[in-house]
Amino acid sequence: MKKAIISGVSGFVGGNLARYLLEEGVCVIGLDKFKSQIKHENFKFIPMELSNIEQTVSGDLQNADVFYHFAWQGSAGAERNDTDLQLKNAQWTMEAIHFAKKVGCKRFVCAGSIMERETIAAALTPGNEPGLAYIYGSGKLVAHTMAMSVAANLGIELVWALITNAYGAGEMSPRFVNSTIRKILSGEKLQFTAGTQNYDFVYISDVAKAFYLLGENGKPFHEYVIGSGLAQPLRNFILEMKSSLAPNRDFIFGDVPFTGTNLDLSAFDCSDTETDTGFKASVSFGEGVRKTMEWIKEMDEK
């Protein structure tokens, strides 16, 4: 890989991938509505509106090896429940594939989510009443299924990545790891579900490496799980967080009701990712949450 385009380059995953690619000697063209803070001789930023990506113009976009698509509005917070926005995200993904083809890209690597598998399970279980969080998962699932047909019709290689739960230094969202660490730092009560549902977490530097390898080695029209390879009940991760960050604090299980769907551990299997691309996560959860806490402390001090 000599040249890559990244949509959503100012975001958590997109920005980390850009830095990883630059370290590997890859030229990066970054697209986003928000200005990127990356400074590098082989990096060029081009303003882009996700809702109008095909109007993005620059000669630098031509003939990149891989188009990485991360731009997705409403990936956290209340907007995850917005049906109109999530359906628009799916349509904008199709427009991004057309745009990638137009500028000469041969491969399109898209960030999906393990929520796609949760959404299928939640929606197709008789009698289950899925929560609003599955609207985001539905948007990703719609994008995934439509992208397969669109990419095949255009003759562009589609590689779909199912991210389990990316976390780490640099993330600003209120998702589980961040919110729990902030509760620890502020002295708030630490209450959780029983934690019996299966889960996985993968540190951001490992996520960036995985996407690089998917761009290089992923098989066209395959989906790949990006995770630690050590999926287990959420309670085990929480206890590891307690041991690493707050051994003297009480972590209370069972006070928060769990209304989601529990996936089988096989849904988190990363063996195809390792076999086809060579990826294997290297940052343990304990090490990752320590790094994340140190970063949050540093940001709060600033």
Side-chain angles (χ1 to χ4, degrees), residues 9-10 15 18-19 30 32 34-39 43 45:
V9 74
S10 299
R19 294 180 181 90
D32 208 301
F34 301 108
K35 178 70 176 176
S36 172
Q37 300 302 310
I38 297 174
K39 307 293 182 185
F43 176 78
F45 176 78

Side-chain angles (χ1 to χ4, degrees), residues 193-266:
T193 66
T196 56
Q197 65 271 38
N198 292 322
Y199 238 74
D200 196 9
F201 294 93
V202 57
Y203 193 72
I204 187 58
S205 59
D206 282 327
V207 176
K209 179 181 179 181
F211 272 104
Y212 166 65
L213 292 171
L214 287 177
E216 287 276 56
N217 305 321
K219 293 180 180 179
F221 299 95
H222 280 61
E223 67 175 24
Y224 293 98
V225 177
I226 297 178
S228 71
L230 299 170
Q232 55 193 304
L234 178 60
R235 183 187 183 100
N236 294 354
F237 286 107
I238 296 173
L239 290 175
E240 188 170 356
M241 187 179 287
K242 171 181 170 63
S243 176
S244 297
L245 305 181
N248 298 322
R249 293 287 305 279
D250 290 328
F251 281 50
I252 303 168
F253 293 94
D255 279 9
V256 178
F258 174 63
T259 58
T261 298
N262 187 18
L263 289 177
D264 188 82
L265 285 173
S266 62

Side-chain angles (χ1 to χ4, degrees), residues 74 76-86 131-136:
E79 287 185 328
R80 286 169 68 98
N81 309 335
D82 187 330
T83 55
D84 181 60
L85 178 60
Q86 296 305 330
L132 291 174
Y134 290 110
I135 292 171
Y136 165 77

Side-chain angles (χ1 to χ4, degrees), residues 10 58 60 82 99 116 154 211 244 246 267 290 294:
S10 299
S58 172
D60 294 297
D82 187 330
F99 180 73
E116 295 172 45
L154 292 174
F211 272 104
S244 297
R290 284 193 296 272
E294 288 305 313

